């Protein structure tokens, strides 16, 4: 689907300096897709329960070796001890892959060790001791199924303040969504609260429709019918692939740099790094026509 020329400059701006996400086991896919990814692209490396330290470090090292910027995830509640976190940060530092991290609470309902949330990691001062210069934090425009809205806003405000107090640069990466309305409202509320950190809006890369609906359901992001209506596919036909054309086009139309500040895109590559990178390249070419 072509993006209308009337908003092509805005779309190009959104697609420029995008970031990507991969798992530790995606290294072969990254190697295959490397020529389609611009040098210097930020690539987040997730912290999955079924991947060990060796897998995560290898992924971050490969990102760096290929000329991209590794952003390893620090999943606070998954660390059994301070020593485990320091081992991870030390290994990243030894490989020159620790400048930027993404600090997040993580999935476990009960912390495995001393860190109950991302704030406790940021406030501890351990990140700077191992050379971290910038820490991104999570944002939830569609809310969180297990955390109240008031708690989410308090956590975001406290984490932004802690980054400033610790002398760390940072940014906000949001959970992926399908509806522009809550994203715009959320960004405006972030700015109203005086939080000036740059924001990367989470976007699902092109992927199978069934997979998109499954992930959205898992994270409590709307109903299947609502997703279909906003994202532009039919809930009666879940065969095929859907891309974020409609979402990005509407987001570009509605963003106002003077009001919303710095906003970029972060792609969750459910359909694969190669498919997402090719999709971005194609849309950039369309936007130049």
């Amino acid at each position: 689907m072509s993006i209308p020329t009337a908003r092509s400059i805005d779309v190009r701006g959104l697609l420029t300096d995008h970031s990507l996400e991969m798992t530790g086991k995606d290294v072969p896919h990254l190697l295959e897709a490397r020529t389609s990814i611009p040098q210097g692209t930020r690539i987040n490396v997730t912290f999955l329960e079924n991947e060990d330290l060796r897998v995560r470090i290898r992924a971050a090292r490969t990102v760096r070796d290929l000329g991209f910027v590794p952003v390893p995830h620090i999943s606070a509640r998954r660390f059994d001890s301070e020593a485990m976190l320091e081992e991870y940060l030390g290994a990243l530092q030894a490989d020159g892959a620790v400048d930027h991290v993404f600090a997040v609470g993580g999935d476990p309902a009960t912390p495995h060790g001393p860190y109950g949330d991302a704030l406790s990691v940021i406030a501890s001062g351990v990140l700077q001791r191992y050379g971290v210069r910038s820490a991104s934090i999570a944002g939830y425009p569609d809310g969180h199924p297990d955390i109240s809205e008031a708690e989410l806003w308090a956590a975001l405000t406290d984490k932004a303040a802690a980054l400033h107090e610790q002398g760390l640069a940072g940014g906000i990466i949001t959970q992926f969504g399908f509806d522009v309305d809550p994203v715009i409202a959320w960004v405006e509320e972030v700015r109203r609260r005086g939080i000036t950190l740059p924001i990367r809006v989470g976007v699902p890369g092109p992927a199978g429709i069934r997979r998109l609906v499954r992930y959205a359901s898992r994270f409590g992001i709307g109903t299947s019918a609502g997703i279909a209506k906003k994202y532009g596919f039919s809930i009666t036909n879940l065969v095929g692939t859907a891309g974020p054309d409609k979402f990005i086009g509407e987001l570009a139309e509605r963003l106002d740099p003077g009001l919303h500040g710095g906003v970029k895109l972060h792609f969750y590559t459910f359909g694969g790094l190669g498919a997402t990178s090719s999709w971005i390249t194609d849309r950039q070419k369309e936007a130049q026509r």
Side-chain angles (χ1 to χ4, degrees), residues 77-92:
R77 287 193 287 271
R78 291 197 186 282
F79 289 98
D80 296 338
S81 64
E82 183 178 349
M84 181 182 176
L85 173 57
E86 294 204 32
E87 179 186 11
Y88 183 44
L89 292 170
L92 290 170

Side-chain angles (χ1 to χ4, degrees), residues 55-72:
V55 171
R56 299 179 192 119
I57 296 299
R58 174 175 174 252
R61 183 192 309 126
T62 303
V63 170
R64 182 211 63 193
D65 289 348
L66 292 176
F68 310 121
V69 178
V71 185

Side-chain angles (χ1 to χ4, degrees), residues 20-289:
L20 303 170
E21 188 147 316
M22 63 178 284
T23 71
K25 295 177 182 176
D26 280 336
V27 167
H29 304 298
L30 177 62
L31 292 170
E32 292 174 0
R34 65 186 183 277
T35 57
S36 63
I37 303 173
Q39 289 286 286
T41 295
R42 296 166 63 99
I43 301 181
N44 284 35
V45 179
T46 59
F47 194 104
L48 300 182
E49 187 174 20
N50 61 355
E51 294 178 350
D52 60 20
L53 176 68
R54 178 186 56 83
V55 171
R56 299 179 192 119
I57 296 299
R58 174 175 174 252
R61 183 192 309 126
T62 303
V63 170
R64 182 211 63 193
D65 289 348
L66 292 176
F68 310 121
V69 178
V71 185
H73 286 202
I74 306 295
S75 186
R77 287 193 287 271
R78 291 197 186 282
F79 289 98
D80 296 338
S81 64
E82 183 178 349
M84 181 182 176
L85 173 57
E86 294 204 32
E87 179 186 11
Y88 183 44
L89 292 170
L92 290 170
Q93 185 181 43
D95 276 340
V98 78
D99 283 358
H100 309 275
V101 300
F102 174 61
V104 64
D107 292 334
T110 302
H112 293 176
Y115 304 108
D117 50 28
L119 177 61
S120 60
V121 172
I122 295 168
S124 72
V126 67
L127 299 179
Q128 302 94 303
R129 293 204 302 270
Y130 286 88
V132 173
R133 296 188 295 109
S134 172
S136 296
I137 55 178
Y140 299 89
D142 285 283
H144 190 290
D146 300 318
I147 307 174
S148 72
E149 183 176 359
E151 289 174 311
L152 287 173
W153 282 116
L156 186 68
T157 302
D158 289 345
K159 286 183 289 186
L163 288 174
H164 179 73
E165 291 166 2
Q166 294 292 328
L168 290 168
I172 304 171
I173 300 176
T174 78
Q175 180 54 271
F176 69 90
F178 298 88
D179 187 350
V180 173
D181 289 344
V183 171
I184 292 293
W186 181 86
V187 172
E188 290 176 355
E189 181 62 16
V190 169
R191 302 312 187 205
R192 189 190 71 78
R193 290 171 180 260
I195 300 172
T196 59
L197 294 171
I199 294 170
R200 289 183 178 271
V201 173
V203 183
I209 293 173
R210 289 183 185 276
R211 175 177 288 188
L212 291 173
V213 171
R214 185 171 67 250
Y215 273 107
S217 175
R218 174 184 170 188
F219 290 104
I221 302 173
T223 65
S224 295
I227 293 166
K229 180 180 179 180
K230 291 290 186 178
Y231 215 58
F233 58 80
S234 172
I235 198 63
T236 61
N237 181 11
L238 298 181
V239 177
T241 298
D245 304 71
K246 183 177 180 180
F247 179 94
I248 292 176
E250 184 179 348
L251 187 63
E253 284 184 338
R254 296 177 60 182
L255 281 173
D256 176 355
L259 175 63
H260 301 123
V263 178
K264 296 291 185 180
L265 299 178
H266 178 74
F267 285 89
Y268 292 87
T269 57
F270 302 136
L273 284 162
T276 299
S277 299
S278 296
W279 184 93
I280 294 170
T281 299
D282 290 343
R283 294 316 177 272
Q284 287 173 324
K285 291 177 179 177
E286 288 182 11
Q288 290 174 350
R289 293 173 186 166

